[in-house]
Amino acid sequence: MKIFKMLAVSAMVLGMTSCISKKQYDALSSNYKQCIENVGERQREIQDLKSQNSALTSENNLLKSQHDALKSSLDACLSNSGKSSANIDKLVGEINASNSYIKQLISNNAKNDSLNLALSNKLKRSLDNVTDDDVQVKVLKGVVMISLSDKMLYKTGDYNVLPAAQEVLGKVAKVINDYDKYSVLIEGNTDNAPLASANLPRDNWDLSALRGTAVAKVLQTQFGVDPARITAGGRSEYNPKATNMSVSGRAENRRTEIIIMPKLDEFMKLMDIAPKK
């Protein structure tokens, strides 16, 4: 406002040039020009300040928007951290349960292996006077397997147990009775030579099954093995140990196997302790 007043005064003074000296006129004219220049500079400064203010306002709005977005993300992270912590705790619990189960499984397997080895050694000592070709005892995949040749047990094509086999079956039965917590599986096996008859056994399926059940009955009736522990059946020619292309191979395939293993309910108890999903 002062600037415009000065300009007005200057204009009045200029209008009165005829009333003042040339020296005074020149001084007033110089002041007028200087005032005009000062007004232009001030206007430019005002315009620059307006531009700066507009830029700062835009920057402030952008920063506020970023702040709101960061705050929203932080709130979401804090909310999810509780859920993640719960999931981690659950996962750690499942891992601990699995480790406990694995340790118990290893312990049970080690115990079973020890018992099976002791059982196998006892059987081998009991049968040390029996020809290896007639009786084979070994531990395979956690179970004790006794393989009895058909020539020791039966006549060719027959399923009735020979009297000569009673001694061997009696020794096997004694060990089975000593390990009364074990189950007994008896399997009859044949070679692939065809058997065709109108009477029993009609084929290799009949022959293998009847041989398995015949041994089971001897163990039960003559040596007191609990029949509830016994499972008997036949596998015909479909579980060969050797090739059927040779005489020795066919002889090896004609066998009855007695498999002694932990009872099924023991395995089921072990499964019951498995960690639940």
Side-chain angles (χ1 to χ4, degrees), residues 92-106 275:
V92 169
E94 290 178 351
I95 291 173
N96 289 336
S98 295
N99 287 338
S100 176
Y101 169 65
I102 291 170
K103 288 179 181 178
Q104 187 163 354
L105 183 61
I106 292 172

Side-chain angles (χ1 to χ4, degrees), residues 9-29:
V9 171
S10 298
M12 291 174 62
V13 170
L14 288 173
M16 298 167 56
T17 54
S18 58
C19 301
I20 59 174
S21 66
K22 186 177 184 305
K23 182 178 181 179
Q24 289 174 328
Y25 170 81
D26 291 340
L28 290 172
S29 178

